[in-house]
C-alpha cells in the first residue's frame, strides 16, 4: 500500500502544481496496510472499519483517527483539525 499511497500523493501534487503538507494530508483506509502507509509517509491516518478488518484490529495499528463507518468521517475530521 505504501507505493500506492506515495504514487497517488505524487500524482495529485503534480496535477495541482503544489506540495501537500503532511500535517494536513489524510489517508483514509480500511486495512492495517493503509494505516502503516500513512505513517511511513508522515501523513494522517484515518482508519474506517468498513472492510475485512474490525475496529479492534485497526485500533492495534494506532491510527490517528479511528471510525466505525464513513458517516463519522466529516465530524471526526472537523474535530481533529480544531
Amino acid at each position: 500500500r505504501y507505493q500506492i499511497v506515495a504514487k497517488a500523493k505524487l500524482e495529485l501534487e503534480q496535477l495541482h502544481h503544489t506540495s501537500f503538507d503532511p500535517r494536513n494530508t489524510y489517508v483514509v483506509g480500511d486495512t492495517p496496510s493503509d494505516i502503516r502507509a500513512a505513517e511511513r509517509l508522515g501523513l494522517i491516518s484515518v482508519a474506517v472499519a468498513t472492510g475485512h478488518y474490525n475496529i479492534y484490529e485497526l485500533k492495534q495499528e494506532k491510527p490517528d483517527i479511528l471510525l466505525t463507518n464513513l458517516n463519522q468521517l466529516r465530524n471526526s475530521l472537523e474535530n481533529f483539525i480544531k
Side-chain angles (χ1 to χ4, degrees), residues 15-76:
L15 178 67
H16 294 282
H17 305 287
T18 190
S19 179
F20 295 119
D21 182 347
R23 296 171 295 171
N24 295 319
T25 306
Y26 299 80
V27 174
V28 179
D30 63 0
T31 71
S33 296
D34 297 325
I35 299 166
R36 288 191 294 266
E39 182 179 313
R40 187 170 172 192
L41 289 164
L43 308 176
I44 299 166
S45 60
V46 181
V48 186
T50 55
H52 177 75
Y53 297 92
N54 65 43
I55 195 98
Y56 305 105
E57 292 169 309
L58 294 174
K59 187 176 183 178
Q60 291 178 358
E61 297 296 325
K62 300 179 182 167
D64 296 300
I65 300 171
L66 180 60
L67 309 173
T68 56
N69 61 65
L70 285 171
N71 293 329
Q72 299 173 309
L73 185 60
R74 183 178 181 162
N75 288 338
S76 294

